[in-house]
Amino acid sequence: MADQSSQKPAAQWTHHEIRTAENSAAYLLPKIQSIKQVNPNLTILDVGAGSGTISITLARAIPDGHVTATDVKTDILLRAQAISEQECVKNIEFLEADVFKLPFADGTFDITHCHQVLCHLKDPWDALREMLRVTKPGGLVAAREGDVQTECVWPETPGLVKFHDFIAKFIPLSGGSAMAGRQLLGWALKAGAQRNKVTASFGTWSFCEEAEKKIWAQQMAKIIRAGRIRDTGLKSGFSTEDELEEMAKAWEEWEGTDDATLAMMHGEIIVQK
Amino acid sequence: MADQSSQKPAAQWTHHEIRTAENSAAYLLPKIQSIKQVNPNLTILDVGAGSGTISITLARAIPDGHVTATDVKTDILLRAQAISEQECVKNIEFLEADVFKLPFADGTFDITHCHQVLCHLKDPWDALREMLRVTKPGGLVAAREGDVQTECVWPETPGLVKFHDFIAKFIPLSGGSAMAGRQLLGWALKAGAQRNKVTASFGTWSFCEEAEKKIWAQQMAKIIRAGRIRDTGLKSGFSTEDELEEMAKAWEEWEGTDDATLAMMHGEIIVQK
């Protein structure tokens, strides 16, 4: 299993696998540290874990605790399992599960977490309600979701402007939101959270240094040239073949530019149940 | 002097005065801590310090060092002086100075810093070149500048959308840039910095909690209803009286909304000379 799944099976995964608890859940880590002081055996559920790099680094942060990482896709969980074995992280298990119907009793986990999951869902508040259900009274639900509309890129070449518009139109078409970050607090309230039990903040991801730019640009060029984003773009009439190629080339050119920067905001919430 | 200047003389200052080194120069503080270990008597120049709350908290971070805080406006420096006296911070001095002609010899300071200064300038690279000049070889130039185009607000009411467009047009009219954050790295290169000597990152400011929303919304309503932004908006034909009132009311309504969020990205650079 490990051999097969340690091959990265989908183009989308490369830039996901540089995510860690440190670079993607920094808003939550101080809370985890505080809880750990009182309860070293705390349990975390990481919903929509994908290839699991955040879940695995969360598990490392709680050596006497336990992480359950779920995703709807089995193949990505095989990849996550393989990474956890490579990294020798033992206090973690992976389970196929639907975020809308989590296979856990009410009040099971100390912390329920997700990252870049709700932004892909049509009814994100229902997912948050389910995450609240499986969290212990007094426990935390934490979420961090991108806000694609805030993506800012330099130099602002025509191909990159086209890509920004393209992706902002693509996300809603597949049932998600290009303005998830700013709405995350509202979604939590709609899921039943009380306003005075929610802390809202914003963080960024940025790709400015050479290695980061390479990961981002090559990934973008790849998904523009093949796969679901390309197919949907063509079918929906958002872009022509020529425009897609212009976008892919624009990312390659951006990678080689000294003053290139890219950043995007993420909304963050911590809800106390 | 203290009595007179402890009155806040301009509407713009309230949301500036909640700025501290911790919330506005977090990207730089670890570097300051490292330098302090080797050289506790380090010197920092804070350019365009305004009412000085960042400069004063920088001075607190280096109790055996010294901060020189400059601004082109004397009245705001009187306010900064008064705050430093109230806060009993002694290792700081305030000086009127033009960022393009700093009254210091080459290589005077260990660190030269600015926050939300370059975004207001027509030739920001010339200011950065001057900041590099007065910095010691091996020292640091650090800057953090907003990127107003990335402002993201929820709920996205018509009055707030109008305000976003209004302010993004207003800033270039007064010689600044509404996309400063993303260009900051490029400006440093234009000022003569080598790419491999610059670290670029992004941070946010956000106003989501009750006290923060109050500060932001009341400030925005005030500057829309009186002062330079209003006058320029009307003279330039960007907005009518009715539209300005719609924007002011939209901020007041936003303040009272439970799911209200506001955030904006800032570009950050640290240049090693």
Side-chain angles (χ1 to χ4, degrees):
Chain A
M1 186 178 77
D3 281 344
Q4 185 197 353
S5 57
S6 65
Q7 302 298 317
K8 291 179 189 172
Q12 287 89 319
W13 297 0
T14 308
H15 75 274
H16 283 174
E17 290 188 5
I18 58 171
R19 300 184 306 185
T20 62
E22 288 68 29
N23 67 27
S24 300
Y27 72 104
L28 178 61
L29 287 177
K31 287 275 184 190
I32 292 177
Q33 294 306 329
S34 301
I35 296 169
K36 205 170 73 171
Q37 300 301 316
V38 186
N39 172 22
N41 309 118
L42 76 162
T43 54
I44 299 178
L45 171 64
D46 191 22
V47 162
S51 43
T53 50
I54 299 176
S55 330
I56 291 163
T57 42
L58 284 172
R60 275 231 183 84
I62 52 163
D64 298 323
H66 188 266
V67 170
T68 305
T70 65
D71 204 281
V72 278
K73 292 180 188 163
T74 308
D75 62 342
I76 198 100
L77 287 177
L78 293 176
R79 171 80 183 148
Q81 180 76 49
I83 295 174
S84 76
E85 284 167 16
Q86 276 163 22
E87 302 274 329
C88 299
V89 173
K90 310 277 187 200
N91 57 332
I92 191 164
E93 64 183 326
F94 299 94
L95 279 178
E96 193 184 317
D98 179 350
V99 63
F100 295 108
K101 288 177 194 170
L102 292 168
F104 308 109
D106 295 1
T108 302
F109 298 96
D110 292 295
I111 300 174
T112 305
H113 166 266
C114 71
H115 186 269
Q116 303 282 63
V117 173
L118 306 172
C119 59
H120 299 298
L121 306 177
K122 205 178 147 213
D123 302 311
W125 41 86
D126 287 338
L128 277 167
R129 191 176 293 116
E130 183 68 351
M131 290 169 72
L132 278 162
R133 183 187 67 75
V134 301
T135 304
K136 289 180 188 167
L140 304 178
V141 169
R144 187 170 190 258
E145 300 294 332
D147 197 290
V148 170
Q149 282 288 11
T150 66
E151 184 219 36
C152 96
V153 64
W154 191 263
E156 216 182 22
T157 58
L160 298 186
V161 173
K162 271 193 187 120
F163 180 78
H164 178 90
D165 295 343
F166 173 83
I167 206 75
K169 281 193 290 184
F170 172 81
I171 293 172
L173 200 75
S174 59
S177 169
M179 297 195 290
R182 70 192 77 180
Q183 294 181 72
L184 194 48
L185 168 60
W187 293 348
L189 301 181
K190 204 165 169 181
Q194 290 170 34
R195 179 62 190 89
N196 63 1
K197 295 287 183 78
V198 188
T199 307
S201 58
F202 282 80
T204 62
W205 74 16
S206 64
F207 294 78
C208 304
E209 302 305 326
E210 199 172 340
E212 299 164 347
K213 287 195 297 180
K214 186 177 177 181
I215 288 171
W216 183 265
Q218 295 193 0
Q219 197 65 46
M220 291 304 114
K222 204 182 274 183
I223 64 172
I224 291 166
R225 289 200 175 111
R228 193 168 62 94
I229 289 180
R230 174 189 178 78
D231 296 346
T232 308
L234 290 171
K235 266 186 212 156
S236 61
F238 286 171
S239 283
T240 63
E241 293 266 5
D242 285 353
E243 283 169 335
L244 286 167
E245 187 53 28
E246 182 190 357
M247 294 179 208
K249 280 192 178 141
W251 280 119
E252 287 167 344
E253 194 184 330
W254 174 86
E255 186 197 333
T257 308
D258 260 2
D259 63 347
T261 58
L262 172 83
M264 192 175 93
M265 269 197 288
H266 291 66
E268 301 160 340
I269 50 165
I270 297 179
V271 186
Q272 189 171 25
K273 184 173 171 183
Chain B
M1 185 177 79
D3 280 345
Q4 186 197 350
S5 58
S6 65
Q7 301 297 316
K8 292 179 190 171
Q12 286 90 316
W13 297 359
T14 307
H15 75 275
H16 282 176
E17 291 188 5
I18 58 171
R19 299 184 306 185
T20 62
E22 288 69 29
N23 66 28
S24 300
Y27 72 104
L28 177 62
L29 287 177
K31 286 276 184 190
I32 291 177
Q33 294 307 328
S34 302
I35 296 170
K36 204 170 74 172
Q37 300 301 316
V38 186
N39 172 20
N41 309 117
L42 77 163
T43 55
I44 299 178
L45 171 65
D46 191 21
V47 161
S51 42
T53 51
I54 298 175
S55 331
I56 291 163
T57 42
L58 284 173
R60 276 232 182 83
I62 52 163
D64 298 321
H66 188 266
V67 170
T68 304
T70 65
D71 205 281
V72 278
K73 292 180 188 163
T74 308
D75 63 341
I76 198 101
L77 287 177
L78 293 175
R79 171 79 184 149
Q81 179 76 48
I83 295 174
S84 76
E85 284 167 15
Q86 276 163 22
E87 302 274 328
C88 299
V89 173
K90 310 277 187 200
N91 57 333
I92 190 164
E93 64 182 324
F94 298 93
L95 279 179
E96 193 183 320
D98 179 350
V99 64
F100 295 108
K101 289 177 196 169
L102 292 169
F104 307 109
D106 295 1
T108 302
F109 299 96
D110 292 296
I111 300 174
T112 304
H113 166 266
C114 71
H115 186 270
Q116 303 282 63
V117 174
L118 305 172
C119 59
H120 299 298
L121 306 177
K122 206 179 147 213
D123 302 310
W125 41 86
D126 287 339
L128 276 167
R129 192 176 291 116
E130 182 68 351
M131 290 169 72
L132 278 162
R133 183 187 67 75
V134 302
T135 303
K136 289 179 188 167
L140 304 178
V141 169
R144 188 172 190 257
E145 300 293 331
D147 196 291
V148 170
Q149 282 288 11
T150 67
E151 185 219 39
C152 97
V153 63
W154 191 264
E156 216 183 21
T157 58
L160 297 186
V161 173
K162 272 195 187 119
F163 179 78
H164 178 90
D165 294 344
F166 173 82
I167 206 77
K169 282 195 286 184
F170 171 82
I171 292 171
L173 199 76
S174 58
S177 169
M179 298 196 289
R182 69 193 78 181
Q183 294 181 72
L184 194 48
L185 168 59
W187 293 348
L189 301 181
K190 203 165 172 181
Q194 290 170 33
R195 179 63 190 88
N196 63 1
K197 294 287 184 78
V198 188
T199 306
S201 58
F202 282 80
T204 62
W205 74 16
S206 65
F207 294 78
C208 304
E209 303 305 327
E210 199 171 340
E212 298 164 348
K213 288 195 297 180
K214 186 176 177 181
I215 288 171
W216 184 265
Q218 295 192 0
Q219 197 67 44
M220 291 304 114
K222 204 182 274 182
I223 64 173
I224 291 166
R225 288 202 176 110
R228 192 168 63 94
I229 289 180
R230 176 190 177 78
D231 296 345
T232 308
L234 290 172
K235 265 186 213 157
S236 61
F238 286 170
S239 283
T240 64
E241 293 265 4
D242 284 352
E243 284 170 335
L244 286 167
E245 187 53 27
E246 183 190 357
M247 294 179 207
K249 280 190 177 144
W251 280 119
E252 287 166 344
E253 195 184 329
W254 175 86
E255 185 197 334
T257 308
D258 260 2
D259 63 348
T261 58
L262 173 83
M264 191 175 93
M265 269 197 288
H266 290 66
E268 301 160 341
I269 49 165
I270 297 178
V271 186
Q272 190 171 25
K273 185 173 172 185

PDB file of all heavy atoms in Angstrom, chain B residues 36-61:
ATOM      1  N   LYS B  36      19.301  41.548  19.406  1.00  0.00           N
ATOM      2  CA  LYS B  36      19.445  41.994  20.804  1.00  0.00           C
ATOM      3  C   LYS B  36      20.353  41.067  21.619  1.00  0.00           C
ATOM      4  O   LYS B  36      21.048  41.521  22.531  1.00  0.00           O
ATOM      5  CB  LYS B  36      18.040  42.030  21.429  1.00  0.00           C
ATOM      6  CG  LYS B  36      17.889  42.955  22.591  1.00  0.00           C
ATOM      7  CD  LYS B  36      16.428  43.114  22.974  1.00  0.00           C
ATOM      8  CE  LYS B  36      15.884  41.887  23.675  1.00  0.00           C
ATOM      9  NZ  LYS B  36      14.522  42.135  24.218  1.00  0.00           N
ATOM     10  N   GLN B  37      20.308  39.784  21.296  1.00  0.00           N
ATOM     11  CA  GLN B  37      21.173  38.826  22.016  1.00  0.00           C
ATOM     12  C   GLN B  37      22.647  39.172  21.843  1.00  0.00           C
ATOM     13  O   GLN B  37      23.440  39.048  22.768  1.00  0.00           O
ATOM     14  CB  GLN B  37      20.955  37.386  21.482  1.00  0.00           C
ATOM     15  CG  GLN B  37      19.547  36.845  21.607  1.00  0.00           C
ATOM     16  CD  GLN B  37      19.050  36.799  23.044  1.00  0.00           C
ATOM     17  OE1 GLN B  37      19.776  36.388  23.930  1.00  0.00           O
ATOM     18  NE2 GLN B  37      17.836  37.264  23.276  1.00  0.00           N
ATOM     19  N   VAL B  38      22.996  39.627  20.648  1.00  0.00           N
ATOM     20  CA  VAL B  38      24.396  39.928  20.326  1.00  0.00           C
ATOM     21  C   VAL B  38      24.720  41.370  20.680  1.00  0.00           C
ATOM     22  O   VAL B  38      25.808  41.704  21.139  1.00  0.00           O
ATOM     23  CB  VAL B  38      24.637  39.708  18.803  1.00  0.00           C
ATOM     24  CG1 VAL B  38      26.106  39.856  18.458  1.00  0.00           C
ATOM     25  CG2 VAL B  38      24.102  38.353  18.371  1.00  0.00           C
ATOM     26  N   ASN B  39      23.745  42.249  20.449  1.00  0.00           N
ATOM     27  CA  ASN B  39      23.967  43.694  20.593  1.00  0.00           C
ATOM     28  C   ASN B  39      22.771  44.340  21.300  1.00  0.00           C
ATOM     29  O   ASN B  39      21.869  44.870  20.659  1.00  0.00           O
ATOM     30  CB  ASN B  39      24.148  44.297  19.185  1.00  0.00           C
ATOM     31  CG  ASN B  39      24.188  45.808  19.201  1.00  0.00           C
ATOM     32  OD1 ASN B  39      24.459  46.430  20.240  1.00  0.00           O
ATOM     33  ND2 ASN B  39      23.906  46.419  18.056  1.00  0.00           N
ATOM     34  N   PRO B  40      22.757  44.301  22.647  1.00  0.00           N
ATOM     35  CA  PRO B  40      21.596  44.857  23.376  1.00  0.00           C
ATOM     36  C   PRO B  40      21.413  46.361  23.184  1.00  0.00           C
ATOM     37  O   PRO B  40      20.322  46.882  23.408  1.00  0.00           O
ATOM     38  CB  PRO B  40      21.900  44.518  24.843  1.00  0.00           C
ATOM     39  CG  PRO B  40      23.319  44.091  24.897  1.00  0.00           C
ATOM     40  CD  PRO B  40      23.751  43.693  23.539  1.00  0.00           C
ATOM     41  N   ASN B  41      22.487  47.038  22.737  1.00  0.00           N
ATOM     42  CA  ASN B  41      22.392  48.503  22.550  1.00  0.00           C
ATOM     43  C   ASN B  41      22.012  48.885  21.128  1.00  0.00           C
ATOM     44  O   ASN B  41      22.358  49.986  20.662  1.00  0.00           O
ATOM     45  CB  ASN B  41      23.726  49.163  22.924  1.00  0.00           C
ATOM     46  CG  ASN B  41      24.224  48.728  24.286  1.00  0.00           C
ATOM     47  OD1 ASN B  41      25.281  48.121  24.415  1.00  0.00           O
ATOM     48  ND2 ASN B  41      23.436  48.988  25.311  1.00  0.00           N
ATOM     49  N   LEU B  42      21.314  48.016  20.447  1.00  0.00           N
ATOM     50  CA  LEU B  42      20.984  48.310  19.046  1.00  0.00           C
ATOM     51  C   LEU B  42      20.141  49.580  18.902  1.00  0.00           C
ATOM     52  O   LEU B  42      19.421  49.969  19.831  1.00  0.00           O
ATOM     53  CB  LEU B  42      20.286  47.119  18.381  1.00  0.00           C
ATOM     54  CG  LEU B  42      18.807  46.852  18.684  1.00  0.00           C
ATOM     55  CD1 LEU B  42      18.233  45.908  17.631  1.00  0.00           C
ATOM     56  CD2 LEU B  42      18.648  46.249  20.068  1.00  0.00           C
ATOM     57  N   THR B  43      20.236  50.184  17.715  1.00  0.00           N
ATOM     58  CA  THR B  43      19.482  51.411  17.433  1.00  0.00           C
ATOM     59  C   THR B  43      18.500  51.156  16.288  1.00  0.00           C
ATOM     60  O   THR B  43      18.830  50.490  15.306  1.00  0.00           O
ATOM     61  CB  THR B  43      20.433  52.549  17.016  1.00  0.00           C
ATOM     62  OG1 THR B  43      21.224  52.088  15.918  1.00  0.00           O
ATOM     63  CG2 THR B  43      21.337  52.954  18.168  1.00  0.00           C
ATOM     64  N   ILE B  44      17.289  51.674  16.485  1.00  0.00           N
ATOM     65  CA  ILE B  44      16.247  51.537  15.450  1.00  0.00           C
ATOM     66  C   ILE B  44      15.795  52.927  15.020  1.00  0.00           C
ATOM     67  O   ILE B  44      15.543  53.793  15.869  1.00  0.00           O
ATOM     68  CB  ILE B  44      15.030  50.747  15.981  1.00  0.00           C
ATOM     69  CG1 ILE B  44      15.440  49.313  16.391  1.00  0.00           C
ATOM     70  CG2 ILE B  44      13.911  50.696  14.948  1.00  0.00           C
ATOM     71  CD1 ILE B  44      14.302  48.469  16.985  1.00  0.00           C
ATOM     72  N   LEU B  45      15.709  53.115  13.713  1.00  0.00           N
ATOM     73  CA  LEU B  45      15.071  54.325  13.174  1.00  0.00           C
ATOM     74  C   LEU B  45      13.690  53.934  12.676  1.00  0.00           C
ATOM     75  O   LEU B  45      13.566  53.012  11.858  1.00  0.00           O
ATOM     76  CB  LEU B  45      15.907  54.892  12.016  1.00  0.00           C
ATOM     77  CG  LEU B  45      15.250  56.033  11.224  1.00  0.00           C
ATOM     78  CD1 LEU B  45      15.044  57.275  12.101  1.00  0.00           C
ATOM     79  CD2 LEU B  45      16.083  56.388   9.986  1.00  0.00           C
ATOM     80  N   ASP B  46      12.651  54.622  13.177  1.00  0.00           N
ATOM     81  CA  ASP B  46      11.284  54.351  12.709  1.00  0.00           C
ATOM     82  C   ASP B  46      10.809  55.568  11.919  1.00  0.00           C
ATOM     83  O   ASP B  46      10.555  56.637  12.481  1.00  0.00           O
ATOM     84  CB  ASP B  46      10.367  54.071  13.905  1.00  0.00           C
ATOM     85  CG  ASP B  46       9.018  53.523  13.457  1.00  0.00           C
ATOM     86  OD1 ASP B  46       8.935  52.999  12.326  1.00  0.00           O
ATOM     87  OD2 ASP B  46       8.042  53.635  14.224  1.00  0.00           O
ATOM     88  N   VAL B  47      10.696  55.385  10.632  1.00  0.00           N
ATOM     89  CA  VAL B  47      10.422  56.472   9.685  1.00  0.00           C
ATOM     90  C   VAL B  47       8.912  56.605   9.470  1.00  0.00           C
ATOM     91  O   VAL B  47       8.232  55.594   9.313  1.00  0.00           O
ATOM     92  CB  VAL B  47      11.147  56.130   8.353  1.00  0.00           C
ATOM     93  CG1 VAL B  47      10.583  56.917   7.202  1.00  0.00           C
ATOM     94  CG2 VAL B  47      12.647  56.330   8.488  1.00  0.00           C
ATOM     95  N   GLY B  48       8.384  57.824   9.471  1.00  0.00           N
ATOM     96  CA  GLY B  48       6.942  58.005   9.274  1.00  0.00           C
ATOM     97  C   GLY B  48       6.174  57.431  10.442  1.00  0.00           C
ATOM     98  O   GLY B  48       5.182  56.713  10.286  1.00  0.00           O
ATOM     99  N   ALA B  49       6.650  57.757  11.637  1.00  0.00           N
ATOM    100  CA  ALA B  49       6.172  57.095  12.860  1.00  0.00           C
ATOM    101  C   ALA B  49       4.760  57.512  13.257  1.00  0.00           C
ATOM    102  O   ALA B  49       4.124  56.842  14.073  1.00  0.00           O
ATOM    103  CB  ALA B  49       7.137  57.399  13.999  1.00  0.00           C
ATOM    104  N   GLY B  50       4.270  58.639  12.740  1.00  0.00           N
ATOM    105  CA  GLY B  50       2.921  59.096  13.087  1.00  0.00           C
ATOM    106  C   GLY B  50       2.796  59.306  14.582  1.00  0.00           C
ATOM    107  O   GLY B  50       3.678  59.905  15.210  1.00  0.00           O
ATOM    108  N   SER B  51       1.709  58.805  15.159  1.00  0.00           N
ATOM    109  CA  SER B  51       1.523  59.026  16.598  1.00  0.00           C
ATOM    110  C   SER B  51       2.346  58.045  17.442  1.00  0.00           C
ATOM    111  O   SER B  51       2.192  57.989  18.663  1.00  0.00           O
ATOM    112  CB  SER B  51       0.037  58.989  16.953  1.00  0.00           C
ATOM    113  OG  SER B  51      -0.618  57.945  16.286  1.00  0.00           O
ATOM    114  N   GLY B  52       3.225  57.314  16.828  1.00  0.00           N
ATOM    115  CA  GLY B  52       4.344  56.685  17.524  1.00  0.00           C
ATOM    116  C   GLY B  52       4.066  55.416  18.318  1.00  0.00           C
ATOM    117  O   GLY B  52       4.961  54.939  19.034  1.00  0.00           O
ATOM    118  N   THR B  53       2.869  54.839  18.203  1.00  0.00           N
ATOM    119  CA  THR B  53       2.579  53.683  19.061  1.00  0.00           C
ATOM    120  C   THR B  53       3.427  52.463  18.680  1.00  0.00           C
ATOM    121  O   THR B  53       3.780  51.672  19.553  1.00  0.00           O
ATOM    122  CB  THR B  53       1.079  53.327  19.032  1.00  0.00           C
ATOM    123  OG1 THR B  53       0.657  53.223  17.670  1.00  0.00           O
ATOM    124  CG2 THR B  53       0.258  54.392  19.733  1.00  0.00           C
ATOM    125  N   ILE B  54       3.775  52.340  17.386  1.00  0.00           N
ATOM    126  CA  ILE B  54       4.672  51.231  17.006  1.00  0.00           C
ATOM    127  C   ILE B  54       6.089  51.525  17.510  1.00  0.00           C
ATOM    128  O   ILE B  54       6.742  50.668  18.110  1.00  0.00           O
ATOM    129  CB  ILE B  54       4.661  50.979  15.481  1.00  0.00           C
ATOM    130  CG1 ILE B  54       3.255  50.582  15.014  1.00  0.00           C
ATOM    131  CG2 ILE B  54       5.659  49.881  15.105  1.00  0.00           C
ATOM    132  CD1 ILE B  54       3.098  50.434  13.504  1.00  0.00           C
ATOM    133  N   SER B  55       6.549  52.778  17.295  1.00  0.00           N
ATOM    134  CA  SER B  55       7.904  53.155  17.737  1.00  0.00           C
ATOM    135  C   SER B  55       8.076  52.912  19.224  1.00  0.00           C
ATOM    136  O   SER B  55       9.115  52.419  19.671  1.00  0.00           O
ATOM    137  CB  SER B  55       8.163  54.647  17.466  1.00  0.00           C
ATOM    138  OG  SER B  55       7.436  55.129  16.373  1.00  0.00           O
ATOM    139  N   ILE B  56       7.059  53.291  20.013  1.00  0.00           N
ATOM    140  CA  ILE B  56       7.145  53.185  21.477  1.00  0.00           C
ATOM    141  C   ILE B  56       7.207  51.712  21.904  1.00  0.00           C
ATOM    142  O   ILE B  56       7.980  51.350  22.788  1.00  0.00           O
ATOM    143  CB  ILE B  56       5.943  53.928  22.128  1.00  0.00           C
ATOM    144  CG1 ILE B  56       6.109  55.440  21.907  1.00  0.00           C
ATOM    145  CG2 ILE B  56       5.816  53.599  23.609  1.00  0.00           C
ATOM    146  CD1 ILE B  56       4.831  56.248  22.119  1.00  0.00           C
ATOM    147  N   THR B  57       6.425  50.845  21.241  1.00  0.00           N
ATOM    148  CA  THR B  57       6.473  49.426  21.601  1.00  0.00           C
ATOM    149  C   THR B  57       7.756  48.768  21.078  1.00  0.00           C
ATOM    150  O   THR B  57       8.258  47.831  21.694  1.00  0.00           O
ATOM    151  CB  THR B  57       5.205  48.679  21.117  1.00  0.00           C
ATOM    152  OG1 THR B  57       4.868  49.136  19.798  1.00  0.00           O
ATOM    153  CG2 THR B  57       4.032  48.957  22.029  1.00  0.00           C
ATOM    154  N   LEU B  58       8.327  49.290  19.985  1.00  0.00           N
ATOM    155  CA  LEU B  58       9.658  48.831  19.552  1.00  0.00           C
ATOM    156  C   LEU B  58      10.691  49.202  20.617  1.00  0.00           C
ATOM    157  O   LEU B  58      11.566  48.398  20.964  1.00  0.00           O
ATOM    158  CB  LEU B  58      10.045  49.463  18.206  1.00  0.00           C
ATOM    159  CG  LEU B  58       9.379  48.892  16.948  1.00  0.00           C
ATOM    160  CD1 LEU B  58       9.728  49.728  15.722  1.00  0.00           C
ATOM    161  CD2 LEU B  58       9.800  47.430  16.705  1.00  0.00           C
ATOM    162  N   ALA B  59      10.581  50.427  21.155  1.00  0.00           N
ATOM    163  CA  ALA B  59      11.529  50.879  22.192  1.00  0.00           C
ATOM    164  C   ALA B  59      11.426  49.979  23.432  1.00  0.00           C
ATOM    165  O   ALA B  59      12.434  49.628  24.046  1.00  0.00           O
ATOM    166  CB  ALA B  59      11.251  52.336  22.552  1.00  0.00           C
ATOM    167  N   ARG B  60      10.191  49.600  23.764  1.00  0.00           N
ATOM    168  CA  ARG B  60       9.998  48.690  24.908  1.00  0.00           C
ATOM    169  C   ARG B  60      10.672  47.339  24.675  1.00  0.00           C
ATOM    170  O   ARG B  60      11.134  46.692  25.610  1.00  0.00           O
ATOM    171  CB  ARG B  60       8.500  48.421  25.108  1.00  0.00           C
ATOM    172  CG  ARG B  60       7.796  49.455  25.908  1.00  0.00           C
ATOM    173  CD  ARG B  60       7.015  48.785  27.076  1.00  0.00           C
ATOM    174  NE  ARG B  60       6.293  49.813  27.804  1.00  0.00           N
ATOM    175  CZ  ARG B  60       5.114  50.292  27.426  1.00  0.00           C
ATOM    176  NH1 ARG B  60       4.513  49.816  26.348  1.00  0.00           N
ATOM    177  NH2 ARG B  60       4.529  51.223  28.151  1.00  0.00           N
ATOM    178  N   ALA B  61      10.699  46.921  23.389  1.00  0.00           N
ATOM    179  CA  ALA B  61      11.291  45.604  23.059  1.00  0.00           C
ATOM    180  C   ALA B  61      12.816  45.627  23.163  1.00  0.00           C
ATOM    181  O   ALA B  61      13.451  44.573  23.214  1.00  0.00           O
ATOM    182  CB  ALA B  61      10.872  45.178  21.651  1.00  0.00           C
TER     183      ALA B  61
END
